[in-house]
């Protein structure tokens, strides 16, 4: 079975054979056409013997090799057969034509066999001189071979001299342009078997080739113009001897060619050695140096470069100084590349280590909050996006007791590795202190003292932490110089009023105090670091608290993950591609009990509707009628108090909102009653035993009854609303 490599080689060989066949046919047709065109002109086919085709055979043979040699010989044979019938003579002429076409081909490739580019390209004065020498030699060879077949003479000139001059002139003045044109076409020379190098076609001429072409073409044009101006008038004289004129033209052209081209090529050769070739050598050295740099493997050591090889050039003066400067520059660049490679390798190692550190840091903060959702019915989400590979932000969510969950968000001063290391230390210390103490403030105090120890880098951290009692909704919190969180309460959302406190890690004598806030079902907190509000756009304008607040208001009804996603998207949209300058972290949670709600006008007549709303909530297997009766008494006292005293004359009457949520795990009902009446905290009064006929606002017997029947009662004034949160366990 043929292997793929064999098939490719076979295809290449078939392609080469087809190319050779086409070259042979093309050369034959071209040679025959040019030869016949001049044979059909009487002026050039009597005694003058003008044969431009003589300049094509050796050139086409030199470029196309054997196919060109044979093709031109076949074209000449086809022309001879139109005028000659002697087979011996035709065979002799065919053999002589083959020799004429083959001599330059054989000698050229023998002389150029060790060259870097042995193919027939006139890109130097030496190659032009070699071609002209081959033209002279080839004309002599063919003239000698034709001596036995043509012994007659023309007037005043021997036919062999004229033929020799014809061949030389047309090989120089027609052959050189033809060879240059062939080199510019998308064709490939067919070299003999001893040439192993591959042909490389140049898209443009190099400097030496352009110089040689310009000089030789200019000299040739000047010679032809001079000869034409000299002999053109004589062609119009009466009884002009065209044979003698052609012979004179040949002689004059040959003399001028010999006298002009010999010194001219010497001058061009000197220019090449001292100017054009050195420039080409420097260009090639620069190209190969770039390739060496691109292919250099830092693992193999330093880049090894040598001085630029002069390659037969002889630069002088400034050109010689340029070579010296180039060699020094190459050595300096090689040394710099070696140092750069080492530095790059070191940076890559550091980047790999930072990547691992980033993975470790990201692993230190929680990402999966399904545990808290399943156990505590909490909706939790968090995101941390560092400005560099590692950063100083962190957040944490953890069990803080039998029915408590701790939340921490913090921002270490600085960025990068030092901040990341201090962040890991602070995260561990704060969590440990909170776990061992019920009071967040005292936990902060002890954590601060620990962080102040061995803090030679003088780093500090801002922290906000809180503990949520998942049975009551009470949040105990403390702040150490951190941004206040956003209290998520639907339309009543806003910034939590929290004392700023002092940063941790800066002063070990600081003490921290705790504060509390009561959440209703569905309420929560959104905490963040200042990388959010301090994000900048292309104009260096800050995102700011106002924009952030607008986003949070828009996301009031969204769950924790959606709220964070909207915030991050808003920051990215504002920055519009500007690099993140600081770490960005957000942590949000909601006490996610299912909430049912309704509204009633503040009027006693709607008490039955209120009781009807509460009744289905207590129709449970683990709930007795006593629970419902207690709820009726509690809600009646609160609702009647609001209806009678909440909206005095002149106060706009607003509906009373009642919300209820059942905590299955804690076996209790959370009841929230909100009104927009005048501010009044019934819990600010001490319960007193009063007469049944007392019409004092709740605060006497009413508040006593509410407290006795409920398991927990809390009040707050927020968003212009009185909010009373009541917890009743099922009995």
């Amino acid at each position: 079975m043929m292997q793929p490599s064999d098939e490719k080689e076979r295809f290449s060989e078939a392609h080469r054979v087809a190319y050779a066949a086409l070259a042979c046919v093309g050369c034959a047709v071209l040679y025959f056409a040019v030869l016949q065109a001049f044979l059909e002109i009487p002026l050039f086919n009597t005694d003058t013997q003008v044969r431009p085709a003589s300049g094509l055979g050796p050139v086409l043979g030199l470029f196309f090799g054997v196919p060109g040699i044979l093709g031109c010989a076949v074209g000449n044979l086809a022309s001879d057969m139109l005028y000659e019938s002697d087979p011996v003579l035709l065979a002799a002429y065919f053999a002589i034509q083959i020799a004429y076409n083959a001599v330059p081909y054989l000698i050229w490739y023998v002389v150029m066999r060790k060259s870097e580019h042995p193919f027939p390209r006139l890109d130097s004065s030496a190659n032009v001189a070699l071609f002209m020498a081959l033209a002279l030699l080839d004309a002599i060879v063919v003239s000698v071979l034709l001596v036995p077949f043509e012994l007659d003479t023309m007037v005043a000139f021997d036919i062999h001299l004229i033929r020799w001059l014809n061949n030389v002139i047309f090989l120089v003045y027609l052959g050189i342009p033809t060879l240059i044109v062939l080199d510019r076409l998308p064709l490939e020379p067919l070299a003999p078997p001893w040439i192993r190098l591959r042909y490389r076609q140049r898209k443009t001429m190099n400097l030496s080739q352009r110089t040689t072409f310009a000089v030789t073409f200019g000299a040739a044009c000047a010679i032809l113009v001079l000869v034409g101006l000299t002999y053109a008038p004589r062609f119009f004289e009466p009884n002009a001897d065209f044979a003698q004129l052609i012979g004179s033209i040949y002689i004059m052209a040959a003399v001028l060619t010999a006298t002009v081209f010999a010194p001219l090529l010497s001058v061009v050769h000197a220019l090449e050695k001292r100017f054009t070739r050195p420039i080409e050598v420097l260009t090639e050295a620069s190209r190969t140096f770039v390739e060496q740099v691109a292919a250099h493997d830092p693992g193999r050591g330093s880049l090894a470069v040598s001085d630029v090889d002069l390659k037969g050039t002889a630069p002088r003066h400034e050109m010689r100084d340029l070579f010296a400067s180039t060699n020094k520059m190459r050595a300096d660049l090689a040394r710099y590349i070696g140092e750069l490679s080492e530095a790059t390798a070191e940076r890559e190692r550091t980047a790999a280590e930072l990547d691992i550190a980033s993975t470790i840091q990201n692993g230190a903060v929680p990402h999966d909050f399904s545990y808290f959702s399943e156990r505590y019915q909490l909706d939790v989400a968090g995101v941390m996006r560092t400005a560099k590979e590692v950063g100083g932000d962190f957040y944490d969510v953890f069990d803080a007791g039998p029915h408590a969950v701790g939340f921490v968000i913090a921002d270490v001063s600085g960025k990068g590795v030092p901040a990341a290391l201090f962040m890991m230390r602070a995260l561990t210390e704060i969590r440990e202190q909170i776990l061992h103490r019920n009071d967040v403030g005292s936990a902060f105090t002890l954590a601060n003292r620990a962080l102040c120890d061995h803090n030679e880098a003088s780093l500090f951290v801002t922290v906000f932490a809180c503990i949520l009692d998942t049975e009551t909704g009470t949040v105990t919190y403390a702040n150490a110089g951190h941004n206040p969180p956003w209290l998520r309460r639907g339309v009543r959302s806003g910034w939590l009023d929290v004392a700023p406190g002092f940063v941790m890690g800066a002063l070990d004598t600081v003490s921290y105090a705790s504060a509390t806030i009561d959440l209703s079902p569905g309420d929560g907190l959104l905490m963040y670091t200042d990388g959010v509000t301090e994000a900048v756009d292309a104009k260096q304008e800050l995102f700011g608290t106002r924009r952030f607040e607008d986003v949070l208001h828009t996301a009031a009804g969204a769950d924790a993950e959606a709220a964070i996603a909207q915030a991050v998207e808003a920051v990215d949209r504002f920055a519009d591609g500007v690099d993140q300058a600081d770490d960005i972290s957000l942590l949000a949670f909601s006490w996610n009990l299912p909430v049912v709600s309704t509204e009633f006008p503040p009027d006693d007549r709607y008490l039955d509707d209120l009781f009807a709303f509460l009744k289905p909530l207590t129709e449970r297997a683990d709930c007795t009628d006593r629970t419902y009766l207690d709820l009726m008494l509690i809600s009646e006292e609160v609702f009647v108090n609001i209806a009678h005293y909440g909206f005095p004359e002149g106060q706009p009457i607003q509906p009373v909102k009642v919300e209820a949520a059942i905590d299955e795990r804690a076996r209790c009902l959370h009841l929230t009653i909100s009104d927009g009446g005048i501010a009044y905290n019934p819990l600010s009064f001490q319960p007193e035993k009063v007469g049944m006929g007392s019409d004092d606002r709740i605060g006497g017997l009413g508040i006593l009854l509410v407290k006795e029947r409920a398991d927990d009662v809390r009040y707050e004034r927020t968003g212009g609303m009185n909010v009373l949160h009541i917890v009743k366990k099922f009995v």
Side-chain angles (χ1 to χ4, degrees):
M1 183 176 178
M2 183 178 294
Q3 299 297 321
S5 58
D6 297 336
E7 186 177 350
K8 182 178 180 181
E9 183 177 350
R10 181 177 176 181
F11 173 79
S12 178
E13 185 62 28
H15 181 270
R16 185 177 179 85
V17 170
Y19 178 75
L22 288 174
C24 183
V25 173
C27 290
V29 172
L30 177 63
Y31 190 91
F32 178 81
V34 174
L35 181 59
Q36 275 304 117
F38 276 82
L39 287 176
E40 294 298 326
I41 301 174
L43 179 63
F44 296 144
N45 196 25
T46 54
D47 296 334
T48 57
Q49 295 286 310
V50 177
R51 299 288 185 267
S54 300
L56 292 179
V59 172
L60 296 176
L62 179 60
F63 192 87
F64 292 107
V66 175
I69 294 170
L70 289 177
C72 292
V74 169
N76 186 74
L77 177 62
S79 178
D80 287 345
M81 290 175 66
L82 297 177
Y83 307 100
E84 183 64 55
S85 59
D86 186 354
V88 176
L89 195 59
L90 289 173
Y93 284 156
F94 182 73
I96 292 172
Q97 185 66 38
I98 288 178
Y100 179 59
N101 298 340
V103 167
Y105 174 75
L106 296 174
I107 297 178
W108 178 282
Y109 280 106
V110 169
V111 173
M112 300 291 289
R113 66 187 183 279
K114 295 183 179 180
S115 172
E116 292 182 357
H117 188 84
F119 304 98
R121 176 177 288 165
L122 303 182
D123 57 353
S124 67
S125 59
N127 286 4
V128 174
L130 174 61
F131 179 81
M132 296 182 71
L134 291 177
L136 182 63
L137 176 63
D138 198 26
I140 293 174
V141 169
V142 74
S143 297
V144 171
L145 292 175
L146 286 172
V147 167
F149 301 97
E150 298 179 354
L151 298 176
D152 56 324
T153 60
M154 294 186 303
V155 179
F157 291 99
D158 185 84
I159 188 172
H160 303 296
L161 176 61
I162 296 300
R163 179 177 287 111
W164 177 74
L165 290 173
N166 176 87
N167 293 345
V168 170
I169 294 300
F170 280 109
L171 277 173
V172 171
Y173 289 95
L174 180 60
I176 289 179
T178 301
L179 198 56
I180 292 175
V181 170
L182 289 172
D183 183 52
R184 305 308 307 152
L185 294 175
L187 301 173
E188 182 175 348
L190 297 176
W194 62 78
I195 301 298
R196 301 294 183 183
L197 297 176
R198 295 192 61 182
Y199 175 72
R200 298 193 309 272
Q201 186 177 33
R202 288 176 179 165
K203 295 182 179 180
T204 59
M205 293 183 177
N206 60 17
L207 183 59
S208 295
Q209 192 172 9
R210 291 196 299 271
T211 303
T212 303
F213 174 75
V215 172
T216 55
F217 180 77
C221 290
I223 291 172
L224 293 178
V225 169
L226 180 60
V227 172
L229 292 175
T230 302
Y231 287 97
R234 296 179 59 181
F235 279 92
F236 299 99
E237 294 178 358
N239 302 320
D241 188 345
F242 289 108
Q244 186 178 13
L245 286 175
I246 294 297
S248 300
I249 290 173
Y250 280 171
I251 292 174
M252 183 178 181
V255 171
L256 288 176
T257 300
T259 55
V260 171
F261 271 85
L264 197 60
L265 291 177
S266 299
V267 172
V268 173
H269 182 67
L271 286 175
E272 288 177 1
K273 291 189 65 175
R274 299 182 181 181
F275 181 65
T276 62
R277 287 295 182 198
I279 292 177
E280 292 170 13
V281 168
L282 288 175
T283 302
E284 180 67 13
S286 299
R287 183 184 63 78
T288 55
F289 181 76
V290 172
E291 291 176 353
Q292 282 181 289
V293 171
H296 176 59
D297 182 5
R300 295 181 301 181
S302 300
L303 176 64
V305 295
S306 57
D307 289 347
V308 178
D309 187 359
L310 297 181
K311 295 183 180 179
T313 64
R316 300 179 63 183
H317 308 301
E318 286 81 2
M319 189 61 68
R320 183 178 56 207
D321 295 340
L322 182 59
F323 267 81
S325 300
T326 300
N327 288 328
K328 184 178 183 304
M329 180 187 68
R330 286 162 61 90
D332 292 343
L333 282 175
R335 184 175 61 256
Y336 172 75
I337 290 170
E339 295 172 354
L340 184 61
S341 297
E342 294 177 1
T344 301
E346 181 61 30
R347 282 198 299 271
E348 289 176 351
R349 287 193 294 271
T350 303
E353 293 173 356
L354 286 175
D355 188 54
I356 296 173
S358 177
T359 302
I360 294 173
Q361 185 180 35
N362 277 298
V365 299
H367 299 282
D368 183 5
F369 304 101
S370 57
Y371 165 79
F372 300 100
S373 175
E374 295 168 0
R375 181 172 181 182
Y376 301 110
Q377 291 185 290
L378 292 177
D379 176 24
V380 185
V383 65
M384 181 177 71
R385 197 169 72 183
T386 59
K388 295 183 177 180
E389 290 84 355
V390 291
D393 280 10
F394 67 89
Y395 65 82
D396 198 6
V397 183
F398 51 91
D399 278 315
H403 48 81
V405 179
F407 299 89
V408 179
I409 191 165
D411 183 4
V412 176
S413 60
K415 290 178 283 294
V417 175
L421 293 174
F422 195 77
M423 161 261 185
M424 296 296 288
R425 181 185 173 193
L427 184 151
T428 304
E429 191 66 43
I430 293 169
R431 174 190 271 218
E432 288 299 315
Q433 294 297 343
I434 290 178
L435 287 175
H436 287 85
R437 285 159 185 82
N438 293 326
D439 182 66
V440 183
S442 61
F444 268 31
T445 301
L446 295 174
N448 173 62
R449 292 175 186 172
L451 292 175
C452 288
D453 290 341
H454 308 293
N455 186 13
E456 288 76 10
S458 299
L459 295 173
F460 59 86
V461 57
T462 66
V463 188
F464 178 87
C466 64
I467 298 176
L468 169 67
D469 187 330
T470 60
E471 289 190 345
T472 64
T474 300
V475 175
T476 305
Y477 61 88
N479 191 31
H482 201 77
N483 310 301
W486 180 259
L487 180 58
R488 305 183 70 216
R489 277 185 166 166
V491 296
R492 306 194 308 273
S493 297
W495 300 109
L496 180 64
D497 186 12
V498 54
F502 196 72
V503 298
M504 284 191 190
L507 190 63
D508 60 2
T509 58
V510 177
S511 295
Y512 299 89
S514 299
T516 61
I517 185 175
D518 296 316
L519 300 183
S520 298
D523 293 350
L525 294 177
L526 187 145
M527 298 154 273
Y528 69 99
T529 58
D530 57 12
V532 175
T533 53
E534 293 179 4
V536 297
D537 61 6
K539 299 177 182 178
Q540 296 300 304
E541 183 179 350
L542 293 176
F543 182 66
T545 304
R546 179 62 61 84
R547 289 188 179 89
F548 189 34
E549 185 176 333
D550 293 340
V551 173
L552 295 176
H553 275 303
T554 304
D559 59 24
E561 185 174 358
I564 286 180
Q566 290 182 38
V568 172
E569 181 183 358
V571 171
D572 290 342
R573 188 168 56 250
F574 172 79
D576 194 22
V578 175
D579 290 340
Q580 184 178 325
D582 197 3
D583 304 330
I584 292 176
S585 296
L586 296 103
L587 177 63
F589 73 88
S590 295
W591 190 31
N592 205 28
L593 298 178
V595 178
V596 291
S597 63
T598 186
E599 290 184 349
F600 304 104
D603 192 317
D604 296 351
R605 292 174 295 176
Y606 291 93
L607 270 176
D608 290 339
D609 295 332
L610 175 58
F611 297 156
F613 170 75
L614 297 174
K615 178 65 175 175
L617 300 176
T618 60
E619 293 176 344
R620 304 165 48 91
D622 58 349
C623 183
T624 65
D625 291 340
R626 178 186 166 187
T627 303
Y628 176 56
L629 292 174
D630 288 344
L631 282 174
M632 288 177 64
L633 289 172
I634 293 169
S635 59
E636 180 181 7
E637 287 296 334
V638 176
F639 188 79
V640 170
N641 182 70
I642 296 171
H644 290 180
Y645 305 106
F647 299 93
E649 187 175 353
Q651 179 75 16
I653 297 176
Q654 301 179 28
V656 179
K657 186 174 183 179
V658 181
E659 298 171 293
I662 296 175
D663 189 340
E664 298 287 355
R665 187 181 57 83
R667 294 185 66 253
C668 66
L669 175 72
H670 294 269
L671 182 66
T672 302
I673 302 176
S674 308
D675 70 88
I678 60 175
Y680 180 72
N681 179 9
L683 304 182
S684 62
F685 294 89
Q686 292 296 327
E688 298 177 359
K689 295 285 185 178
V690 296
M692 293 298 294
S694 173
D695 59 355
D696 291 341
R697 183 166 185 174
I698 186 170
L701 179 60
I703 190 58
L704 179 62
L705 185 147
V706 170
K707 285 191 172 183
E708 286 181 350
R709 301 288 177 160
D711 294 284
D712 187 33
V713 183
R714 287 163 284 156
Y715 168 86
E716 65 177 328
R717 178 77 178 182
T718 176
M721 304 282 288
N722 298 304
V723 180
L724 197 65
H725 183 83
I726 302 162
V727 179
K728 176 61 182 176
K729 290 187 177 181
F730 298 136
V731 293

